[in-house]
Amino acid sequence: MAYLTTPDSFSLPRETLKLIRSPQYVSQEARCPFIKNCQVLSATEVNSQTSGRRATLTFTLQTSDIQILRKSSSARHKHLHLRAFSNRKHEDWAKLLKGEEKKNNKIHGVKVTINSAYFPIPIKEQKSGTKKRGFIISKPLDISTRAADKMDIKIDIKTNFNGLFVVELATYYTIAQMSDRIFTRLTGIFPENKKCELCDINSDLKRCSTCKITWYCGIQCQTQDWLKHQFICRPYQRPPELPSHFTGADKMDDDDIQLGETRVSLRCPLTIKRIQTPIRGKHCHHPQCFDLKGFLGYCCKTGVWQCMYCTKPCKFSDISIDREMEKILLNTGAEIDQVRLYPGGLFEPITLDEIRAEHANPNPRKRKRDNNSTNHNNNNNNNNNNNNTSKNNGSNNSNHNNTSVTSTSSLGAHKDVAIVLD
């Protein structure tokens, strides 16, 4: 969880400072896990007594920070955020922009102006039918592209919003650093990487008794680091255990259903590349995995932490490495993209020739069924043609009979002879 600092260059009202330091504002559940630390640059409170329903935030930025903020989003590790906080939760800017309906008239929620220039609030429309059951984090408004020496932000509010508007300079972890955090949480710190959090001494170390991750050379360094460490220190929890997708007959209960062959892809659906580090969430009961770095990048960009397959919540604390799938990746070549899983932990690689053959004949059962239906229709057509031919022959015979009878009816006594001859 990120820790917040407030500069000494400005003073905040006591109630505003109390809200910023509240557990709901700095909560790990409300912020992106990528945020390393935040520096509050300006804050203002809006209530029903605010004149004109306009919030004004003014602050200055250092030249070094401006140079970083003007880089592309993928090349910088700092972001300038504008947050809206009310009712003890972080508000979504897209919802604030949509506003509300009053007497069949659309009332826009907020309008943001930075240094006298209008700043558009991006809204991503959700497609109909899209399933979103994951854990969603309200993203702040990123205003890094408007970074300048002097910042003057004005927010016009037309709804009943009451709360805080806060400007933060946030420092982010990289995807590689986030991956290392997961490895550290699951496997611990290797002895050669242990060092004091402050002075980098790597001998006679003692770790924090609460989180069991951070190491110190003594009480003095631990006391000095506590101002920062208190925001990220949490009681140690055992790594999440993943449901096994290899269930043998000896491990099954009476109510379990044993599945047969299961087909699994070794490519990540997000990166379309071969999985390097297979991960799943602790709520995922399927064998299909996705790549660690690809998933972290997706979640950081969208703010939606959910499994790609079952759409169940998959928070940062729920992620774990699938050791069984990791063995499969190590025991198969780079040319193998899919495998078949069998009960008991067995697997069989699917070759490229098999996949090509399946693409050439995508559904042989359906094709066979179509051929059978075609033959059945042809047989019905032939039968209909034969029936029509028989009817025609019958009608011809009937006409011949009528002719014979008519011709013999004039013979009188020879009528029976005519019938016998026919």
Side-chain angles (χ1 to χ4, degrees):
M1 178 173 56
Y3 67 93
L4 278 78
T5 58
T6 55
D8 299 330
S9 58
F10 70 98
S11 60
L12 295 174
R14 184 175 180 180
E15 293 298 326
T16 302
L17 191 60
K18 184 178 179 180
L19 287 175
I20 291 178
R21 293 177 177 177
S22 64
Q24 293 83 1
Y25 186 82
V26 298
S27 172
Q28 183 179 8
E29 297 290 329
R31 292 175 174 267
C32 178
F34 275 79
I35 298 178
K36 186 177 181 180
N37 57 66
C38 292
Q39 180 183 1
V40 177
L41 302 180
S42 181
T44 184
E45 187 174 0
V46 178
N47 51 42
S48 58
Q49 299 178 356
T50 303
S51 61
R53 298 292 290 171
R54 168 176 284 190
T56 303
L57 301 101
T58 57
F59 57 94
T60 59
L61 290 174
Q62 298 180 2
T63 305
S64 59
D65 292 333
I66 296 175
Q67 294 176 352
I68 296 175
L69 294 173
R70 288 181 177 177
K71 296 181 180 179
S72 61
S73 58
S74 59
R76 65 171 182 259
H77 64 280
K78 287 187 177 182
H79 298 264
L80 191 61
H81 289 166
L82 179 60
R83 289 187 175 272
F85 182 75
S86 69
N87 298 324
R88 299 293 179 177
K89 66 176 183 178
H90 292 266
E91 297 290 344
D92 184 38
W93 281 92
K95 293 181 180 180
L96 290 178
L97 179 64
K98 289 181 180 179
E100 58 189 17
E101 298 285 345
K102 280 191 177 181
K103 296 181 180 181
N104 299 326
N105 294 324
K106 183 67 176 179
I107 299 179
H108 294 285
V110 294
K111 178 182 177 182
V112 180
T113 304
I114 302 177
N115 291 340
S116 302
Y118 170 72
F119 186 84
I121 301 176
I123 297 180
K124 184 178 181 181
E125 296 293 338
Q126 181 178 349
K127 298 181 181 179
S128 59
T130 303
K131 294 182 179 180
K132 282 194 175 182
R133 296 165 49 191
F135 179 71
I136 301 177
I137 298 177
S138 298
K139 297 183 63 178
L141 187 62
D142 195 333
I143 58 175
S144 303
T145 55
R146 298 291 183 87
D149 295 338
K150 296 181 179 180
M151 300 288 293
D152 183 14
I153 302 176
K154 290 180 172 56
I155 306 171
D156 296 317
I157 308 105
K158 298 183 179 180
T159 59
N160 295 326
F161 174 85
N162 294 320
L164 286 177
F165 288 107
V166 185
V167 179
E168 298 175 353
L169 183 61
T171 304
Y172 273 56
Y173 288 106
T174 63
I175 294 180
Q177 291 173 338
M178 291 291 288
S179 301
D180 292 339
R181 289 179 62 191
I182 292 181
F183 279 109
T184 301
R185 187 187 66 196
L186 297 178
T187 62
I189 301 178
F190 293 104
E192 59 272 13
N193 296 330
K194 292 180 180 179
K195 61 181 180 180
C196 179
E197 189 71 14
L198 276 184
C199 59
D200 294 341
I201 294 178
N202 54 8
S203 61
D204 297 333
L205 300 177
K206 295 182 179 180
R207 65 181 180 182
C208 175
S209 60
T210 303
C211 65
K212 301 185 185 302
I213 294 177
T214 307
W215 294 80
Y216 298 100
C217 62
I219 298 178
Q220 184 177 0
C221 287
Q222 184 182 17
T223 303
Q224 294 179 6
D225 190 57
W226 178 246
L227 293 176
K228 181 185 72 173
H229 186 65
Q230 62 179 332
F231 293 100
I232 61 176
C233 183
R234 288 295 178 270
Y236 173 78
Q237 296 179 353
R238 294 181 62 85
E241 296 182 1
L242 298 180
S244 177
H245 48 76
F246 290 146
T247 303
D250 56 337
K251 298 182 180 180
M252 293 182 61
D253 297 332
D254 294 337
D255 297 333
D256 290 341
I257 299 177
Q258 184 173 3
L259 300 178
E261 173 189 326
T262 304
R263 192 164 183 166
V264 177
S265 174
L266 301 182
R267 286 183 176 269
C268 178
L270 297 170
T271 61
I272 319 299
K273 297 179 180 180
R274 185 179 172 89
I275 298 176
Q276 300 296 324
T277 305
I279 61 170
R280 285 189 294 146
K282 67 178 183 181
H283 303 293
C284 300
H285 293 270
H286 50 79
Q288 186 65 60
C289 297
F290 33 89
D291 187 66
L292 173 59
K293 292 184 177 180
F295 179 74
L296 291 176
Y298 166 80
C299 295
C300 180
K301 184 177 181 180
T302 61
V304 180
W305 293 76
Q306 72 175 11
C307 175
M308 301 292 99
Y309 299 96
C310 62
T311 67
K312 291 182 179 179
C314 188
K315 302 179 184 179
F316 179 76
S317 58
D318 297 339
I319 297 175
S320 188
I321 299 175
D322 192 329
R323 300 300 180 183
E324 296 169 341
M325 188 58 64
E326 189 177 38
K327 294 178 182 178
I328 294 177
L329 289 167
L330 292 175
N331 294 326
T332 54
E335 72 281 358
I336 301 297
D337 290 339
Q338 298 178 4
V339 295
R340 293 187 182 93
L341 302 182
Y342 298 99
L346 302 177
F347 71 92
E348 177 187 6
I350 301 177
T351 61
L352 186 59
D353 294 335
E354 291 184 64
I355 298 177
R356 288 175 178 171
E358 292 175 357
H359 284 290
N361 188 11
N363 199 341
R365 293 183 179 179
K366 183 177 179 181
R367 178 169 294 184
K368 184 178 181 180
R369 185 167 56 250
D370 293 342
N371 292 336
N372 292 336
S373 62
T374 303
N375 295 334
H376 180 69
N377 292 334
N378 292 335
N379 293 333
N380 290 336
N381 293 333
N382 293 334
N383 293 334
N384 292 333
N385 293 333
N386 293 334
N387 292 334
N388 293 333
T389 304
S390 300
K391 290 181 180 180
N392 293 332
N393 293 335
S395 62
N396 292 335
N397 293 335
S398 177
N399 293 334
H400 182 64
N401 293 338
N402 293 335
T403 304
S404 302
V405 170
T406 303
S407 62
T408 57
S409 62
S410 61
L411 295 178
H414 299 284
K415 182 176 179 181
D416 295 336
V417 176
I419 294 173
V420 171
L421 290 176
D422 189 45

